[in-house]
Amino acid sequence: LAYRLVFHEQNESTWRPLGGPDPLAKAEYDWNTEGLPDGYYVVRVTASDEKSNPRERALDFALESAPLLVDNRPPEVGELQAHYPQITGRAKDGASNITDIEYTVDGGEWRSVAPSDGILDDPVEAFSFRLPTLAPGPHAVTVRAWDSGDNVGAAGITVTVK
């Protein structure tokens, strides 16, 4: 069989070729999506027996995928504010839900952070957590967040304990 692949962003109607102008000989294709904007895409695969039959007798069959999420960008961790021992902030992603939030103090052990609403189920998650007792002086607090595309973003803030 010969295979042709085309795709389009979910809200577009123009199909774009994948894999070059010639049909693919294998029933697999490794799609590098790094150059695409985040969003949902539909892929159509057309399989044909044109290599084994005369053109007038060749058959083909096409199938479209369910929308596929392309999520290459990491979430943003921002709006960090420190009022020792409390840290607040927001994690947000443009394409998918936030799936995990953690923090570390001075490069130590990572600790989980619960979102303010209690469940990680949205592309924007506010959070607030209490730091452990720290020695006087400045401390580096880093917060990182993952999205459902397994991308991670981080930000830091300095907390000075008096």
Side-chain angles (χ1 to χ4, degrees), residues 22-46:
D22 296 326
L24 302 172
K26 296 189 303 186
E28 58 186 60
Y29 181 76
D30 186 17
W31 187 19
N32 182 346
T33 62
E34 290 177 357
L36 293 175
D38 289 354
Y40 284 91
Y41 292 82
V42 176
V43 176
R44 182 171 62 207
V45 179
T46 303

Side-chain angles (χ1 to χ4, degrees), residues 75-83 86-91 101-107 110 127 129 131 138-145 152-160:
E76 295 175 18
V77 177
E79 302 176 32
L80 288 177
Q81 294 185 5
H83 302 286
Q86 200 71 24
I87 302 287
T88 60
R90 184 175 311 273
I101 304 170
E102 295 179 326
Y103 80 94
T104 184
V105 178
D106 296 330
W110 288 97
F127 57 84
F129 60 92
L131 293 170
H139 297 274
V141 177
T142 302
V143 179
R144 66 183 178 187
V152 63
I157 190 169
T158 299
V159 176
T160 302

Side-chain angles (χ1 to χ4, degrees), residues 77-154:
V77 177
E79 302 176 32
L80 288 177
Q81 294 185 5
H83 302 286
Y84 182 74
Q86 200 71 24
I87 302 287
T88 60
R90 184 175 311 273
K92 68 179 179 176
D93 191 74
S96 63
N97 291 343
I98 301 298
T99 59
D100 198 12
I101 304 170
E102 295 179 326
Y103 80 94
T104 184
V105 178
D106 296 330
E109 179 182 336
W110 288 97
R111 299 172 187 214
S112 291
V113 173
S116 296
D117 66 0
I119 186 166
L120 291 164
D121 63 348
D122 288 312
V124 178
E125 294 287 357
F127 57 84
S128 176
F129 60 92
R130 188 174 182 83
L131 293 170
T133 302
L134 299 174
H139 297 274
V141 177
T142 302
V143 179
R144 66 183 178 187
W146 277 267
D147 64 18
S148 59
D150 208 25
N151 301 303
V152 63

